[in-house]
Amino acid sequence: MATSSPYGSIRDRPGLARGDGQHLLLVVREPELAELLSTTLQLAGYRTSLTDSGTEALARVERQRFDLVVLDGELPDVGRLGRQRPAVLDHRPPALVLTVCDSLPGLLPELGAGKRDYVTKPFRVAEVLARIHVLLRASVPDPGRADELAYGDLVLDDARCRARRGERPLDLTPAEYRLLRHLLVNAHRVLSKAQIGRSVRGDAHGGNAIEQLVSRLRRKVDRDGPALIHTRRGFGYWLGRADAEP
């Protein structure tokens, strides 16, 4: 007699978000979870490839174009990937991280390129499909603003690595630009110092350095307008309107 999966089934919800033939790379070691995700995503209209190693996933992303990566954050080799040489990729797919803790780990920037989200285990199929749908939709470039990210009057131009608040240019260092970009693509989400350190500096240390970096960035971004960079004491930092506090 077959047992039911704790993650649910696509057949449970006929109205779930579905794909249009996009190619997804699944980086999962647990056989049952790998089979569930592969079958579910194929039934939902996606093409899938599978590997059980973070190192192999990076090698495959370097060789082949994928529309999105689904990455199990518990893989034993994931933590070492950020210390390897940076990958030079023609295409950087967004990434959905499967994690047991209620926070987004700083995992392999080369796989995420800023467009990352996470779901916590045990997850529901509906949530995985919804997050994949949002990430894929966000990764489709707007022909008129292909290299720009924006939140209100805050605009980042990735092609030139420049930022502005309204009409005022922001004179940012490379580290400040990376931090601002990381906060912007995770708008309304509180990010810990460790998360920021892994994404901006490549390690989870340097708490005081992160505090100083945030302070310098805040003085530049919020100098003449309503504050966009906020502190959640004891937890971390987030970007957004004050009335939209996470």
Side-chain angles (χ1 to χ4, degrees):
M1 178 175 167
T3 59
S4 61
S5 167
Y7 302 104
S9 166
I10 192 172
R11 296 183 177 87
D12 299 337
R13 297 280 299 278
L16 295 177
R18 295 175 182 270
D20 189 25
Q22 295 96 331
H23 194 182
L24 276 53
L25 176 63
L26 311 181
V27 192
V28 182
R29 184 174 63 167
E30 182 184 342
E32 179 184 357
L33 180 56
E35 181 179 1
L36 170 71
L37 286 171
S38 181
T39 301
T40 295
L41 292 168
Q42 289 175 24
L43 287 173
Y46 298 102
R47 294 180 295 127
T48 63
S49 295
L50 182 66
T51 180
D52 60 0
S53 160
T55 303
E56 173 61 19
L58 178 56
R60 295 187 65 173
V61 168
E62 290 182 286
R63 297 193 306 263
Q64 182 178 359
R65 182 186 179 98
F66 293 95
D67 295 293
L68 183 138
V69 175
V70 178
L71 177 68
D72 187 349
E74 295 180 87
L75 287 173
D77 63 344
V78 165
R80 298 194 300 270
L81 292 177
R83 297 192 291 271
Q84 296 180 358
R85 63 174 178 82
V88 179
L89 305 179
D90 294 328
H91 171 68
R92 295 170 180 258
L96 180 68
V97 180
L98 312 177
T99 179
V100 294
C101 58
D102 196 12
S103 63
L104 179 62
L107 296 170
L108 191 56
E110 288 78 9
L111 287 181
K115 298 185 178 69
R116 285 182 285 178
D117 204 346
Y118 72 102
V119 293
T120 56
K121 298 178 182 180
F123 52 78
R124 301 295 296 174
V125 165
E127 183 179 12
V128 170
L129 292 177
R131 299 290 179 88
I132 288 174
H133 179 73
V134 170
L135 281 169
L136 289 172
R137 184 175 59 189
S139 68
V140 176
D142 180 343
R145 301 170 64 90
D147 296 309
E148 287 192 352
L149 298 169
Y151 184 100
D153 64 349
L154 175 64
V155 179
L156 274 65
D157 181 348
D158 275 349
R160 297 183 296 173
C161 291
R162 294 181 179 175
R164 68 179 188 272
R165 181 83 189 266
E167 298 300 319
R168 178 172 61 89
L170 303 177
D171 183 17
L172 304 180
T173 66
E176 290 166 353
Y177 185 89
R178 291 194 299 270
L179 171 58
L180 182 57
R181 192 184 194 283
H182 189 53
L183 290 170
L184 190 151
V185 299
N186 290 283
H188 301 157
R189 174 173 288 160
V190 177
L191 302 174
S192 70
K193 293 177 186 177
Q195 289 170 331
I196 291 173
R198 282 188 291 256
S199 295
V200 175
R201 295 164 51 92
D203 62 66
H205 306 293
N208 290 336
I210 295 300
E211 289 179 6
Q212 295 170 12
L213 181 62
V214 171
S215 179
R216 293 197 303 268
L217 179 64
R218 179 181 278 146
R219 286 197 296 269
K220 295 179 180 181
V221 172
D222 294 340
R223 188 187 73 188
D224 299 327
L228 287 179
I229 300 175
H230 310 277
T231 302
R232 177 70 69 82
R233 297 208 176 274
F235 293 92
Y237 305 96
W238 63 281
L239 182 144
R241 301 186 314 273
D243 59 0
E245 183 176 356

